[in-house]
Amino acid sequence: MLDRVGKNADGYPPYNIEQIGENRLRITLAVAGFGMDDLQITQEDNQLVIRGRQKDDGEGRVFLHRGIAARQFQRAFVLAEGMEVEGAWLDNGLLHLELRRPQPESRVRTIRIGAKGNGGATIVEGRPAKA
């Protein structure tokens, strides 16, 4: 269902992709330290992009060690045709996105049979042809 994943050079943030149903996926990104206002999710055509940008709140703070990443990121996924993002939520430093591929609608076509020399077959979409 996912055609390919846009790779970051450093692999940040790490993520999982799991199948949660026949036509459903969940993407989970580890975004510790990011709040909902720091994250943005966009989908344009088949490209799903997740961006994170933290506000610098280090004013007046003196770090003896700073090991928690506070950098911006962009992670892109190219979705297969027809994939839709159903929703997203943030829980305990993990950003979850649920995707699904809707079942294609079946389309009924009726083909009218014409007499020889009467112009051939005619396709009438979605309704029975009248004689």
Side-chain angles (χ1 to χ4, degrees):
M1 286 190 197
L2 287 171
D3 283 343
R4 66 178 186 264
V5 177
K7 295 285 186 183
N8 283 357
D10 61 1
Y12 180 79
Y15 64 92
N16 291 336
I17 300 173
E18 60 182 302
Q19 185 168 354
I20 57 173
E22 187 174 330
N23 292 311
R24 300 171 59 87
L25 294 176
R26 180 178 296 143
I27 300 172
T28 302
L29 288 91
V31 292
F34 287 85
M36 288 192 306
D37 294 336
D38 301 326
L39 299 168
Q40 179 186 29
I41 304 168
T42 57
Q43 181 178 359
E44 184 174 337
D45 297 324
N46 290 348
Q47 175 120 349
L48 176 66
V49 179
I50 299 115
R51 291 180 181 88
R53 179 172 295 159
Q54 288 180 318
K55 295 158 191 68
D56 186 18
D57 63 350
E59 291 183 27
R61 296 169 71 185
V62 177
F63 290 97
L64 299 179
H65 172 76
R66 190 166 188 171
I68 299 173
R71 57 186 170 176
Q72 65 184 19
F73 70 86
Q74 176 174 311
R75 177 69 76 180
F77 300 90
V78 178
L79 305 178
E81 191 67 36
M83 290 292 294
E84 296 176 357
V85 178
E86 284 191 322
W89 70 95
L90 188 60
D91 181 40
N92 293 322
L94 297 174
L95 176 64
H96 304 277
L97 293 96
E98 288 208 3
L99 297 95
R100 73 178 178 93
R101 174 179 286 188
Q103 293 295 323
E105 294 179 20
S106 60
R107 207 171 74 174
V108 176
R109 299 181 345 158
T110 302
I111 298 152
R112 183 181 306 160
I113 301 170
K116 185 174 181 176
N118 195 12
T122 303
I123 298 174
V124 180
E125 298 289 332
R127 58 184 166 82
K130 295 183 181 177

